[in-house]
């Protein structure tokens, strides 16, 4: 579970069920709280009032302003200058803000995938083994698919083509793997 999100000069910690009751444990570096939802991440100020939302749909990662209304959260189409200041992204270019949004989204997706693998009794190294065509059980293939790391339950074609999803490839690259000579190897090994 994601316990902390960082934006430039800001630290956000996971919110309690009622964000207004979240404890900062007197940590002055905490800027506010966050809660992960099915479509993204809600950011709250220190009083537990929502003010920003990070959209985390595949291929769409961006920040917008949000506010609490009688009907629930209302999302704007972009961020206000106040939202950008509270998030610490006011000095970023559009591209830098988009890259930060993608980085946060990918981190959350990777943590969720690792948690799903663990629930099945597998880990990332098992995924690397499968990607490198080592014998892999049907249960492992199902776990990788359920975690969103492959686009098909079998995970790899008979000819060795890895059916990794974007998330699966992101995880390989984030963990320092490169594709060389038909195998996924750690970057230090790829340079040799």
């Amino acid at each position: 579970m994601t316990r902390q999100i960082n934006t430039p000069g800001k630290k956000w910690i996971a919110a309690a069920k009622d964000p207004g009751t979240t404890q900062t444990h007197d940590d002055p570096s905490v800027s506010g709280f966050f809660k992960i939802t099915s479509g993204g991440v809600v950011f709250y100020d220190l009083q537990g009032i929502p003010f920003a939302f990070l959209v985390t749909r595949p291929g769409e990662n961006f920040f917008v302003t949000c506010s609490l209304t009688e009907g629930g959260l209302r999302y704007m189409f972009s961020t206000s200058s106040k939202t950008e200041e509270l998030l610490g992204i006011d000095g970023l270019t559009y591209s830098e803000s988009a890259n930060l949004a993608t980085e946060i989204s990918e981190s959350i997706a990777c943590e969720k995938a690792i948690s799903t693998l663990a629930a099945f009794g597998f880990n990332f190294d098992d995924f690397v083994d499968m990607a490198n065509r080592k014998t892999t059980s049907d249960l492992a293939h199902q776990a990788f698919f359920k975690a969103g790391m492959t686009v098909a339950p079998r995970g790899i074609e008979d000819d060795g083509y890895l059916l990794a999803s974007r998330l699966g490839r992101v995880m390989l690259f984030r963990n320092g793997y490169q594709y060389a000579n038909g195998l996924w190897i750690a970057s230090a090994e790829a340079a040799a």
Side-chain angles (χ1 to χ4, degrees):
M1 176 178 146
T2 304
R3 300 191 190 288
Q4 179 177 315
I5 293 175
N6 295 309
T7 57
K10 307 283 183 165
K11 179 169 105 176
W12 309 92
I13 60 172
K17 186 172 184 175
D18 174 5
T21 63
T22 306
Q23 298 295 313
T24 63
H25 304 287
D26 297 323
D27 182 349
S29 68
V30 172
S31 303
F33 318 112
F34 71 90
K35 191 177 277 190
I36 298 171
T37 68
S38 61
V41 181
V42 180
F43 287 88
Y44 300 86
D45 64 17
L46 288 170
Q47 289 71 47
I49 298 170
F51 70 92
F53 185 74
L54 169 60
V55 176
T56 60
R57 292 187 297 245
E60 291 186 296
N61 302 292
F62 56 92
F63 295 99
V64 297
T65 297
C66 74
S67 58
L68 189 59
T69 67
E70 290 179 12
L73 282 179
R74 178 181 166 104
Y75 306 96
M76 303 300 133
F77 292 104
S78 64
T79 53
S80 67
S81 56
K82 181 178 179 183
T83 298
E84 291 176 359
E85 183 180 334
L86 288 170
L87 277 174
I89 62 171
D90 50 330
L92 301 182
T93 65
Y94 175 79
S95 178
E96 290 168 334
S97 175
N99 288 341
L100 176 63
T102 298
E103 172 68 26
I104 293 169
S105 297
E106 287 177 352
S107 293
I108 292 168
C110 289
E111 287 184 29
K112 183 178 177 187
I114 293 298
S115 177
T116 301
L117 288 183
F120 279 91
F122 298 101
N123 60 42
F124 182 72
D125 291 334
D126 297 316
F127 178 70
V128 174
D129 287 345
M130 186 267 309
N132 285 329
R133 296 184 222 118
K134 292 189 178 171
T135 303
T136 306
S137 71
D138 287 340
L139 182 59
H141 285 283
Q142 291 298 323
F144 304 142
F145 181 67
K146 181 81 170 168
M149 298 166 71
T150 59
V151 296
R154 69 178 182 203
I156 196 161
E157 294 280 0
D158 293 335
D159 64 1
Y161 182 77
L162 178 62
L163 297 172
S165 64
R166 182 177 187 287
L167 174 61
R169 292 185 189 280
V170 162
M171 292 177 74
L172 286 163
F173 289 119
R174 282 177 150 237
N175 284 282
Y177 286 89
Q178 293 180 351
Y179 191 71
N181 300 322
L183 296 174
W184 288 93
I185 55 176
S187 295
E189 295 173 34

